[in-house]
Amino acid sequence: MAGCFSITDYDNLQDSREETFTLPYVQVLAGFDVLFVVDNSQSTEYMLDSIGGMAPGMLEGIDSATDGALASSPSLQIGVITPDMGSGGYGYSGCYGSGDNGVLQTITADGCPTLDGSYIVVEGGVVQNMGAIGELSVEEAVQCLVDGQRERAAGCGFEQPLAALAKALDVQQTPQNTGFLRENAGLAVVLMTDEDDCSASEPLFFDPTNPGLGPVSSFRCFEWGVTCDQEPRIPGTKTNCRPRTQAEGALLFEPETMADRILAIKG
């Protein structure tokens, strides 16, 4: 896969920005489930320190956006998955079988205690299952688990975070994740990736021998998932871009379809 994925200069990106939204519910929560979708593809290896270091701040941002729900919740469950769902059975470097397939990951970073279970459990602000009880703060535990995936840095370059997310939350498809998603708890999701979503609806999307699909690269994820006023293969500014629909020949799941799947699982 070497040479197929471009590296982008992130030096000019802002360190942070504020997003304002209205929560679609008003209810008393028994706890909060937080799921990090951590890109561990080869192209993100050089970003390990900067992206991994954002995890605690993202946790604080969720807490602020939910009026302190994380800090006040009697019970937190924090899990990590990757967007590696393989490449439809076609073999590429870093893309093997169905990848991590939405299963909660348990590898912690070098120098960190191991995780007992498949997600971090926090009761009364104290981490219960990574090292001795209370050995790590919540932020440190999240850092250890997020960086554990980024240290792998060997995942598939065709990132499918939305497909991985939908699968991770559906215990019919991933019984290994049973217990993470709780009916009476809130849910927050953080996606940590450096490329477009590439949740393929058709395995043939990854076919290296089909000339109509263009070169085997992440550009396929844009061309077959997005439509603009201009032709995608002609360099230049693109305007009025939006998700490509199935009727328009999309080979990726429409974001709205994936959102509906997630809402159907969580409510």
Side-chain angles (χ1 to χ4, degrees), residues 158-230:
F158 290 107
E159 294 91 337
Q160 303 184 59
L162 297 183
L165 171 60
K167 194 159 191 178
L169 299 179
D170 186 352
V171 294
Q172 299 300 315
Q173 297 190 68
T174 50
Q176 307 95 316
N177 296 351
T178 298
F180 173 74
L181 191 66
R182 297 169 293 174
E183 184 177 356
N184 60 345
L187 172 65
V189 176
V190 177
L191 296 100
M192 305 172 70
T193 181
D194 67 339
E195 296 193 65
D196 293 332
D197 178 74
C198 200
S199 298
S201 58
E202 172 55 61
L204 292 177
F205 168 82
F206 301 104
D207 185 356
T209 66
N210 188 331
L213 297 178
V216 180
S217 74
S218 294
F219 184 72
R220 283 190 181 183
C221 307
F222 169 76
E223 180 174 7
W224 298 102
V226 177
T227 183
C228 306
D229 287 347
Q230 297 78 18

Side-chain angles (χ1 to χ4, degrees), residues 51-67:
I51 294 294
M54 293 180 186
M58 290 181 177
L59 201 62
E60 294 173 4
I62 295 171
D63 192 47
S64 175
T66 55
D67 293 328

Side-chain angles (χ1 to χ4, degrees), residues 15-216:
D15 290 337
S16 64
R17 71 182 186 199
E18 291 189 2
E19 298 285 353
T20 302
F21 59 92
T22 301
L23 293 174
Y25 61 84
V26 178
Q27 65 186 84
V28 177
L29 301 175
F32 231 92
D33 303 326
V34 184
L35 185 61
F36 285 86
V37 186
V38 181
D39 188 347
N40 68 328
S41 65
Q42 293 176 350
S43 67
T44 62
E45 185 173 5
Y46 76 104
M47 298 170 60
L48 187 151
D49 291 337
S50 59
I51 294 294
M54 293 180 186
M58 290 181 177
L59 201 62
E60 294 173 4
I62 295 171
D63 192 47
S64 175
T66 55
D67 293 328
L70 296 189
S72 61
S73 292
S75 176
L76 290 180
Q77 295 186 166
I78 305 170
V80 167
I81 62 171
T82 77
D84 184 353
M85 299 286 286
S87 54
Y90 295 94
Y92 301 103
S93 176
C95 304
Y96 306 103
S98 54
D100 292 328
N101 210 25
V103 175
L104 290 166
Q105 300 298 299
T106 62
I107 297 175
T108 56
D110 290 343
C112 289
T114 58
L115 176 66
D116 180 14
S118 55
Y119 46 84
I120 300 169
V121 176
V122 181
E123 299 289 348
V126 178
V127 176
Q128 303 292 309
N129 63 333
M130 189 179 291
I133 295 178
E135 178 180 347
L136 300 178
S137 67
V138 176
E139 291 79 12
E140 289 170 336
V142 172
Q143 188 80 64
C144 282
L145 191 54
V146 168
D147 282 347
Q149 313 319 308
R150 306 200 64 80
E151 285 180 3
R152 295 165 61 196
C156 184
F158 290 107
E159 294 91 337
Q160 303 184 59
L162 297 183
L165 171 60
K167 194 159 191 178
L169 299 179
D170 186 352
V171 294
Q172 299 300 315
Q173 297 190 68
T174 50
Q176 307 95 316
N177 296 351
T178 298
F180 173 74
L181 191 66
R182 297 169 293 174
E183 184 177 356
N184 60 345
L187 172 65
V189 176
V190 177
L191 296 100
M192 305 172 70
T193 181
D194 67 339
E195 296 193 65
D196 293 332
D197 178 74
C198 200
S199 298
S201 58
E202 172 55 61
L204 292 177
F205 168 82
F206 301 104
D207 185 356
T209 66
N210 188 331
L213 297 178
V216 180

